[in-house]
Amino acid sequence: MAELLFTAGDLARMRFAVAPMWEVGPSLRLLRSGLPHAVHGPWAEQVRPRLTALGPAFGLLAELVPPSGYVPDFINPAPAGPAPTLAGELAAIRATPAGQVRRDLDRLAAEHGGLGPRLRALHADPAAGLARLAEAIEAYWELALAPYWARIRAVLDADVLHRARQAAEHGAERVLNDLHAELRWAEGTLRLSRRSRPMSRRTAGPGLLLIPSAFTGPGLYTLFAPPEPPQLVYPARGIGGLWATGPAHRTAALAAVLGRSRALLLAELAAPASTTELARRTGLSPSAVSQYLTALREARLVSAHRAGRWVLYARTATAEALLNPGS
């Protein structure tokens, strides 16, 4: 068991954040395991065949996120605000000091029996290697997470809203004790029952960053990287229904406004799909699908994401709200 002491100042600095990079590593680990997953199975079945489109650059990211155990701290910079963008996090990764990169890689090598050729190159020239890594992360994001981000983000935001209400009604103690079974707060001390490495204010900054994640779980992730506050990453509430594809409730009503074909395409985009796939499923011609998707994109109801040779279309948060009000 590990314990982290809190002062009144630490509690005052406790905050939540939604961080894209905390979805990258855990989701990649899940995909590369090849194992079925009770929650994320539908997502993995769609994304796994596309990984080959990432090409050789993907190898660096794959080496950096091993199947289990330690992942270098520098790929998860502390969120500067409540909702950093991926671009902002990649900028922070590219700016990582060379000394920190090498220290993290030395720890990775010690825990996993050495480094692969791409990580040895990163160790030798961190600046050039981090630029390549940022490109690989961005390519993976566009293929595996960007088409689904509106849905994922809605779950993460709902979790933060729930915790904020808990804090307002019952205080920080209720929030911390409700986050995860491995986590307990009592008498100014946070206890993690399954963490073996010690936690100390001497090795972390003030406060605490609480980060909900769709792909972290069933355990907790912790990151201590002074002078930043400790990061505690926990499974978000509501992920069990993340990939549910029940019928949209308002397709008929939307058809009266958008037209039957556009409303049909929105309904079919419960999961991101290509023009060819949408044409096959709806019976519309590929040219008609392309025309309708362009109109929906201009209305900000659909977003487009390049994934290798595919362009995947996904519903935006606005479209989700129109189709499923109150969900």
Side-chain angles (χ1 to χ4, degrees):
M1 176 184 291
E3 297 184 345
L4 181 66
L5 297 177
F6 273 71
T7 65
D10 292 317
L11 276 179
R13 292 180 177 91
M14 187 175 78
R15 61 186 176 89
F16 286 87
V18 171
M21 280 305 302
W22 274 113
E23 306 303 333
V24 170
S27 67
L28 176 58
R29 185 169 274 179
L30 185 155
L31 285 173
R32 294 180 65 216
S33 74
L35 300 173
H37 194 279
V39 172
H40 297 302
W43 169 85
E45 288 174 8
Q46 293 172 34
V47 174
R48 211 173 259 134
R50 303 181 200 141
L51 289 181
T52 55
L54 291 174
F58 178 62
L60 175 59
L61 179 59
E63 283 187 25
L64 204 63
V65 182
S68 62
Y70 175 70
V71 173
D73 295 342
F74 65 80
I75 73 166
N76 292 110
T85 63
L86 180 69
E89 292 195 298
L90 292 180
I93 290 171
R94 286 192 294 267
T96 306
Q100 181 185 343
V101 173
R102 292 187 174 112
R103 284 192 299 273
D104 288 356
L105 292 178
D106 287 343
R107 178 179 168 188
L108 184 70
E111 295 194 11
H112 294 281
L115 299 175
R118 297 176 182 86
L119 291 187
R120 290 197 297 271
L122 174 59
H123 194 286
D125 187 354
L130 289 175
R132 290 192 297 270
L133 175 63
E135 291 175 1
I137 291 171
E138 191 168 25
Y140 173 76
W141 175 268
E142 280 299 310
L143 182 148
L145 293 170
Y148 307 88
W149 186 238
R151 181 178 292 198
I152 294 170
R153 178 67 189 270
V155 170
L156 303 182
D157 285 345
D159 179 276
V160 172
L161 210 61
H162 170 78
R163 311 293 178 186
R165 183 171 181 177
Q166 268 191 327
E169 294 180 353
H170 304 288
E173 180 177 8
R174 172 72 69 87
V175 173
L176 291 170
N177 282 329
D178 189 55
L179 279 179
H180 197 277
E182 297 175 14
L183 188 69
R184 282 295 173 266
W185 163 271
E187 300 177 352
T189 302
L190 190 66
R191 296 177 174 87
L192 277 74
S193 61
R194 298 189 65 180
R195 180 182 167 94
S196 56
R197 295 176 66 89
M199 302 187 299
S200 168
R201 283 295 170 191
R202 293 191 300 273
T203 59
L208 179 66
L209 267 169
L210 299 171
I211 303 175
S213 171
F215 290 94
T216 297
L220 296 166
Y221 280 62
T222 54
L223 193 159
F224 284 70
E228 301 294 347
Q231 298 183 53
L232 179 62
V233 188
Y234 62 92
R237 299 173 75 252
I239 58 172
L242 180 58
W243 308 116
T245 56
H249 303 310
R250 301 192 66 194
T251 305
L254 282 178
V257 178
L258 300 177
R260 187 190 68 82
S261 296
R262 293 183 183 88
L264 175 61
L265 288 174
L266 279 183
E268 288 292 333
L269 284 173
S274 66
T275 300
T276 303
E277 176 65 13
L278 288 169
R280 184 187 65 79
R281 291 191 333 223
T282 62
L284 298 169
S285 70
S287 61
V289 170
S290 179
Q291 178 183 348
Y292 294 139
L293 288 173
T294 297
L296 291 169
R297 189 177 179 186
E298 289 174 351
R300 299 187 179 181
L301 296 176
V302 161
S303 57
H305 308 272
R306 178 162 292 282
R309 65 179 183 273
W310 299 283
V311 175
L312 300 177
Y313 292 88
R315 295 197 300 234
T316 64
T318 301
E320 294 285 355
L322 287 172
L323 283 163
N324 300 291
S327 62

